């Protein structure tokens, strides 16, 4: 079961890789659980991977371990 859902506001943790934009705020726009994962997602550890979109419109895939819920932007 995923920790976040579509449209949730999340923060990228300080310990996330630099390319994941630590300390940034983003919105969940995609959820990929283990059973949904294929090829491309093999680069991530087991667990849920999210596509998040930043305020500037760019997006990335990121593992759940690097995200925290944000109640207000």
């Amino acid at each position: 079961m995923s920790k976040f859902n579509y449209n949730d506001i999340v923060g990228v943790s300080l310990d996330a890789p630099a390319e994941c934009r630590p300390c940034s705020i983003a919105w969940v726009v995609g959820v990929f659980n283990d059973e949904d994962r294929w090829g491309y997602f093999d680069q991530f550890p087991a667990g849920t991977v999210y596509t998040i979109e930043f305020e500037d419109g760019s997006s990335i895939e990121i593992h759940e371990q690097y995200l925290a819920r944000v109640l207000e932007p």
Side-chain angles (χ1 to χ4, degrees):
M1 181 172 197
S2 56
K3 187 174 179 181
F4 307 107
N5 295 307
Y6 289 92
N7 230 14
D8 282 349
I9 301 171
V10 293
V12 180
S13 67
L14 277 172
D15 64 337
E19 64 270 13
C20 295
R21 297 170 62 171
C23 298
S24 295
I25 302 296
W27 285 259
V28 174
V29 296
V31 180
F32 302 92
N33 294 306
D34 281 328
E35 62 271 7
D36 301 324
R37 293 171 46 165
W38 42 266
Y40 167 78
F41 294 101
D42 290 344
Q43 65 184 302
F44 297 97
T48 305
V49 174
Y50 299 87
T51 302
I52 58 171
E53 185 175 312
F54 300 100
E55 291 179 297
D56 66 3
S58 64
S59 64
I60 61 167
E61 278 75 39
I62 187 169
H63 192 271
E64 185 172 76
Q65 73 189 40
Y66 296 120
L67 298 176
R69 185 173 312 281
V70 173
L71 299 178
E72 295 292 328

